[in-house]
Amino acid sequence: MIAEAIQKIKSELPEGVQLVAVSKFHPVEALAEAYAAGQRIFGESHVQELTAKCPLLPADIEWHFIGHLQTNKVKPLVAHVSLIHAIDSDHLLHEVSKQALRAGLRVDCLLQLHVAQEETKFGFTPGEAIEYVESGVWRQLEGVRLAGVMCMASNTDDVRQIRSEFRLAAQTHRQLRDAIAASAADDEAACAFRHLSMGMSHDWHIAVEEGATLVRIGTTIFGERQY
Ligand SMILES: *Cc1c(COP(=O)(O)O)cnc(C)c1O
């Protein structure tokens, strides 16, 4: 079932869009099954769970951290991840950079955009993100590289609402990339800022239509989570 679900999603993804298999709360056996089906990118949202699963699975897996990250959990995480999706403050980005440098690493990070209607969602508003990127403070952080943005749409059945939120994220992503390219004609940083991470089990088709480069899918692949 896991293999079939992955194959089906991959057959529907346009070229250049990558699948992050969201494996939180699922046992390593389920991840191994996905791995055997060719899946190499896995997304987890708890540091302890990610660091526990990591050593039990093949080394060529790319681990993405997709959850809300607390600064005191950064240190055990940095050595294991290839991409952190949800950077929601300058403070957190500083901490990731500090811990990455201590480990001799540079970690790719996405800025989390707050585009949903719910007040509980974390992240920068589009305006805050533009202000932050234009401030240029992130350029001093040598342990991280800004690799784009991520967002979550409102938890609703209203397709038009979801689409408008994804569209706002995509538009903001372009604005941020242009701002990076314009400041100091920084082509390298603008190229690095390439990812738009959006879309989950119920809304990834819309996210892809609106330009997602990474979709984060759990339930459709692994079934309901057992909390
Ligand atoms: C859990 C989670 C997902 C996957 O959600 P599904 O509905 O199971 O596909 C995607 N993104 C984030 C940030 C998550 O926490």
Side-chain angles (χ1 to χ4, degrees), residues 63 74 77-85 87 93 96-97 99-101 103-110 141-147:
W63 294 95
V74 171
L77 179 70
V78 283
H80 302 285
V81 279
S82 60
L83 184 63
I84 297 175
H85 284 236
I87 299 291
L93 193 64
V96 173
S97 180
Q99 297 301 343
L101 283 175
L105 299 167
R106 190 166 202 193
V107 177
D108 279 351
C109 293
L110 307 181
L141 304 177
E142 292 180 358
V144 293
R145 193 168 59 159
L146 285 189

Side-chain angles (χ1 to χ4, degrees), residues 22 24 45 66 150 152 200-202 216-219 225:
V22 176
K24 63 189 184 197
S45 58
I66 63 168
M150 78 85 83
M152 277 187 273
M200 313 177 19
S201 287
H202 69 286
R216 310 177 308 265
I217 302 177
T219 309
R225 289 178 278 276

Side-chain angles (χ1 to χ4, degrees), residues 200-219:
M200 313 177 19
S201 287
H202 69 286
D203 59 14
W204 70 266
H205 287 96
I206 309 170
V208 165
E209 284 167 11
E210 296 303 328
T213 66
L214 289 168
V215 291
R216 310 177 308 265
I217 302 177
T219 309

